[in-house]
C-alpha cells in the first residue's frame, strides 16, 4: 500500500488504475472467496477519479489518498446499509451515515470499495445455510479465512483492495491476518473511535487495520486514531508513523512459549517461530523467555465478559427471534446466560489484575512475541460440530489471541512462514499501551529482511491467469 502511494505521487500509477485492478481481482476471485457483501464500484470510481484530479492539482491528503480500502460490514457507510451479516440487525441503523473512522478515511482521500464479510455481529462461525457469502481462504479455498474480519483478510491477500478496516474482540483482526498471510494491527483500547460500529462487547471491542505490511497498518492507524466526543472510551492519543531504519539494537524481546505449543500444534510451528526469533536477534534484539501472567484466568474472563455484554444487547431479540439468528451466534451468546452478575464483576477484576501484572512484565521487556495461532487455517468442514452446529472449540484450540483482548495493549500480527501444506503461520508482537510505534518498527524491520508479507496465494495467481 505504501509503495502504491509512492507510485501515485511519482505518476507511474493512478488511483483509477489501482481501483480497476482491484475491481478485476474482485470479479475473478470474490465468487470463490466470499470477501464482499456489497461492492461500491460506481462510487469508488468517482472517488478514484477525484483523487487523481486532486493529486494532479497538487493537493495531497496523505498516504491513503487514492488507495482502495475495504470496510467490514459492522462499520457504517453512507453508501449502503450495514447488515452485521445478520437477518436480525436493523438495516436502518446508522443508515446513510458514516462511522467516524469512515469519515476520517474519506477525509484522507481513501477510495472505499465496499462492505466486507464478517461473522454475525462479529461472533460465532459461518454456516453454509446462511444467506451470506462463505469466506474461504485465499491459499486453499477448502479452508476458512478466519474471522470475524474475514473479508478484510481475503481482500488484502488477493488484491481486491490494499487495506481493510476490521474490528477485534477476541482476535478478529489478527486471526484472518494470520490465516490469510497478511498483517493485522489491533491498536490500544481507546486509541480508535468506534462510533458507528455495531458493538459486540463494548468493554473489549476495538477497530483495527489489515494490510500487507506493518508499515501499511501504521499508515492506516495514523488516519484512524484520535479523540471522538461521541465515543466516551476514545482517548486523545493521535498516532504518527515512526521512522524505519531496520535496526533493533538494544530491543528487549520477551518470548512466550508456555501454552503456545500444545500437543497437536502444527509440526512446522516451532521451527518457523524459532527462525523468526533468529531474525529479530540478528537485527540486534535481545530475547528472553517470559510467562504471560494469569493466561488461563484472563482468557476465561474474556469469554465471560464478551458473552455477557453480547447477551445484554441481544437478550430481547433472542427471545423473540431465536431462529432468525444464526446457530453460531446464538450458541455462543447463550453462554452469557450462565454468567452471573458476580461472575461478570469478577471477570472485570481479573482483567485489572492481569493488566497490572502484564505492565510489570513490560518493565523488563519492550515487546512480547508469541505465535498468533498454533496451526494454519482449519478446513471449512471442521467448523461444524455434532449435528452441523458450528463448533467454536476449533478456534480456542488454535488461537492465542483472546488473552490480549482482556488487556488494553496493542498487538500486531505478521506472517512468519508456512505449514508443510502451504498455509500461512503468523507471529504476534504485543507492546505497552500506546506503543504501536514500537510494534510497527519491529514488524517493519522483520518484514524488510524476510518478505513473507509479499507472498501471494497460488490460487489467486491461478485465478488471475
Amino acid at each position: 500500500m505504501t509503495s502504491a502511494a509512492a507510485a501515485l505521487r511519482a505518476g507511474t500509477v493512478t488511483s483509477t488504475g489501482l481501483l480497476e485492478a482491484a475491481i478485476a481481482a474482485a470479479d475473478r476471485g470474490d465468487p470463490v472467496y466470499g470477501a464482499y457483501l456489497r461492492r461500491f464500484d460506481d462510487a469508488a470510481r468517482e472517488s478514484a477519479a477525484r483523487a487523481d484530479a486532486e493529486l494532479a492539482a497538487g493537493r495531497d491528503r496523505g498516504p491513503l489518498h487514492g488507495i482502495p480500502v475495504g470496510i467490514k460490514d459492522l462499520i457504517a457507510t453512507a453508501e449502503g446499509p450495514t447488515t452485521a451479516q445478520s437477518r436480525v440487525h436493523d438495516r436502518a441503523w446508522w443508515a446513510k451515515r458514516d462511522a467516524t473512522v469512515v469519515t476520517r478515511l474519506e477525509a484522507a482521500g481513501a477510495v472505499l470499495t465496499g462492505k466486507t464479510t464478517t461473522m454475525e455481529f462479529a461472533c460465532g462461525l459461518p454456516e453454509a445455510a446462511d444467506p451470506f457469502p462463505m469466506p474461504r481462504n485465499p491459499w486453499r479455498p477448502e479452508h476458512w479465512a478466519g474471522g470475524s474480519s474475514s473479508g478484510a483478510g481475503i481482500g488484502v491477500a488477493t488484491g481486491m483492495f490494499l487495506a481493510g478496516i476490521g474490528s477485534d474482540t477476541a482476535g478478529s483482526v489478527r486471526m484472518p491476518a494470520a490465516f490469510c498471510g497478511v498483517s493485522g494491527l489491533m491498536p490500544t483500547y481507546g486509541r480508535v473511535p468506534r462510533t458507528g460500529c455495531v458493538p459486540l462487547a463494548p468493554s473489549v471491542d476495538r477497530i483495527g487495520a489489515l494490510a500487507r505490511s506493518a508499515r501499511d497498518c501504521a499508515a492506516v492507524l495514523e488516519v484512524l486514531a484520535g479523540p471522538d466526543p461521541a465515543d466516551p472510551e476514545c482517548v486523545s492519543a493521535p498516532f504518527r508513523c515512526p521512522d524505519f531504519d531496520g535496526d533493533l539494537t538494544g530491543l528487549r524481546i520477551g518470548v512466550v512459549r508456555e501454552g503456545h505449543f500444545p500437543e497437536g500444534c502444527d509440526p512446522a510451528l516451532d521451527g518457523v517461530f524459532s527462525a523468526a526469533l533468529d531474525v529479530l536477534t540478528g537485527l540486534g534484539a535481545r530475547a528472553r523467555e517470559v510467562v504471560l501472567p494469569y493466561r488461563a484466568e484472563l482468557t476465561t474472563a474474556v469469554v465471560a465478559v464478551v458473552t455477557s455484554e453480547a447477551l445484554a444487547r441481544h437478550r430481547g431479540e433472542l427471545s423473540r427471534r431465536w431462529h432468525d439468528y444464526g446457530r453460531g451466534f446464538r450458541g455462543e451468546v447463550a453462554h452469557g446466560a450462565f454468567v452471573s452478575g458476580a461472575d461478570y464483576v469478577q471477570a472485570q477484576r481479573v482483567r485489572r489484575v492481569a493488566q497490572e501484572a502484564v505492565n510489570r512484565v513490560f518493565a523488563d521487556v519492550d515487546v512480547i512475541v508469541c505465535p498468533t495461532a498454533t496451526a494454519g487455517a482449519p478446513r471449512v468442514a471442521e467448523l461444524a460440530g455434532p449435528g452441523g452446529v458450528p463448533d467454536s472449540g476449533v478456534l480456542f484450540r488454535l488461537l492465542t489471541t483472546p488473552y490480549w483482548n482482556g488487556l488494553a495493549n496493542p498487538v500486531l500480527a505478521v506472517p512468519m512462514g508456512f505449514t508443510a501444506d502451504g498455509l500461512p503461520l503468523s507471529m504476534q508482537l504485543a507492546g505497552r499501551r500506546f506503543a504501536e510505534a514500537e510494534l510497527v518498527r519491529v514488524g517493519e524491520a522483520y518484514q524488510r529482511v524476510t518478505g513473507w508479507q509479499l507472498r501471494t496465494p497460488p490460487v489467486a495467481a491461478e485465478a488471475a491467469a
Side-chain angles (χ1 to χ4, degrees):
M1 186 192 81
T2 47
S3 58
L8 278 171
R9 284 147 186 81
T12 55
V13 299
T14 63
S15 178
T16 297
L18 291 175
L19 177 64
E20 291 302 331
I23 288 174
D27 288 342
R28 291 189 301 264
D30 197 39
V32 177
Y33 306 128
Y36 278 114
L37 279 166
R38 180 168 179 173
R39 286 164 57 180
F40 300 155
D41 290 359
D42 291 341
R45 285 184 168 113
E46 292 178 7
S47 295
R50 186 164 53 250
D52 285 332
E54 289 180 344
L55 288 167
R59 183 179 183 187
D60 191 336
R61 297 173 182 257
L64 297 192
H65 199 172
I67 298 296
V69 178
I71 307 293
K72 184 177 183 176
D73 192 42
L74 287 181
I75 301 170
T77 57
E79 285 84 358
T82 300
T83 75
Q85 202 150 328
S86 173
R87 287 169 286 214
V88 175
H89 184 61
D90 182 4
R91 300 302 191 264
W93 180 88
W94 273 77
K96 302 186 184 305
R97 290 191 291 165
D98 287 329
T100 298
V101 292
V102 173
T103 299
R104 291 177 179 179
L105 288 166
E106 291 178 329
V111 176
L112 307 186
T113 64
K115 302 297 278 293
T116 62
T117 48
T118 176
M119 308 298 96
E120 185 173 22
F121 294 107
C123 185
L125 293 170
E127 294 183 77
D130 287 344
F132 302 102
M134 171 63 76
R136 294 183 177 273
N137 194 285
W139 294 86
R140 289 179 177 269
E142 67 273 20
H143 290 252
W144 188 38
S148 63
S149 304
S150 312
I154 297 167
V156 170
T158 57
M160 297 184 199
F161 38 81
L162 299 185
I165 308 304
S167 64
D168 198 315
T169 303
S172 293
V173 163
R174 292 159 292 150
M175 186 204 316
F179 289 169
C180 294
V182 299
S183 302
L185 176 61
M186 178 183 73
T188 302
Y189 182 80
R191 170 82 90 170
V192 175
R194 300 164 301 176
T195 309
C197 179
V198 179
L200 176 62
S203 76
V204 182
D205 297 340
R206 307 183 216 183
I207 290 177
L210 295 93
R212 281 233 166 256
S213 70
R215 183 189 290 260
D216 293 347
C217 289
V220 176
L221 180 60
E222 187 167 311
V223 170
L224 301 185
D228 177 14
D231 182 353
E233 300 295 325
C234 190
V235 299
S236 180
F239 172 78
R240 293 291 176 264
C241 289
D243 294 329
F244 299 109
D245 60 10
D247 183 10
L248 301 183
T249 300
L251 181 80
R252 301 171 300 170
I253 295 176
V255 179
V256 180
R257 290 186 176 274
E258 182 184 76
H260 289 67
F261 296 86
E263 183 178 350
C265 72
D266 190 275
L269 182 65
D270 190 20
V272 168
F273 184 62
S274 295
L277 294 175
D278 287 344
V279 171
L280 294 175
T281 55
L283 293 170
R286 294 180 283 118
R288 57 180 288 244
E289 290 207 15
V290 298
V291 174
L292 294 180
Y294 304 106
R295 189 175 66 85
E297 294 87 348
L298 183 56
T299 301
T300 301
V302 169
V303 174
V305 168
V306 170
T307 56
S308 297
E309 294 186 5
L311 181 63
R313 179 176 174 82
H314 292 276
R315 184 190 294 271
E317 285 297 298
L318 279 167
S319 66
R320 292 186 293 270
R321 303 181 61 182
W322 176 261
H323 292 288
D324 288 334
Y325 284 91
R327 291 185 297 178
F329 177 83
R330 69 192 190 217
E332 286 300 305
V333 174
H335 286 101
F338 299 97
V339 180
S340 69
D343 293 333
Y344 179 81
V345 170
Q346 182 65 11
Q348 297 288 24
R349 267 189 192 155
V350 168
R351 293 179 66 185
R352 288 193 294 272
V353 170
Q355 183 71 71
E356 292 169 0
V358 167
N359 290 345
R360 290 193 291 272
V361 175
F362 275 114
D364 297 320
V365 299
D366 302 306
V367 173
I368 294 176
V369 180
C370 62
T372 310
T374 62
R379 291 177 177 270
V380 170
E382 293 177 44
L383 303 181
V389 178
D391 178 15
S392 291
V394 173
L395 298 185
F396 282 99
R397 291 192 294 272
L398 290 178
L399 294 178
T400 65
T401 55
Y403 176 89
W404 294 103
N405 291 92
L407 308 169
N409 302 67
V411 186
L412 172 69
V414 296
M416 64 174 181
F418 292 87
T419 68
D421 294 332
L423 290 168
L425 292 171
S426 174
M427 172 173 61
Q428 289 186 110
L429 307 169
R432 300 182 185 89
R433 294 175 64 208
F434 301 106
E436 287 89 345
E438 184 78 286
L439 295 185
V440 297
R441 186 177 73 86
V442 176
E444 194 277 342
Y446 174 76
Q447 292 182 328
R448 182 183 297 195
V449 173
T450 62
W452 293 117
Q453 78 283 4
L454 302 177
R455 303 290 184 95
T456 54
V459 287
E462 291 166 11

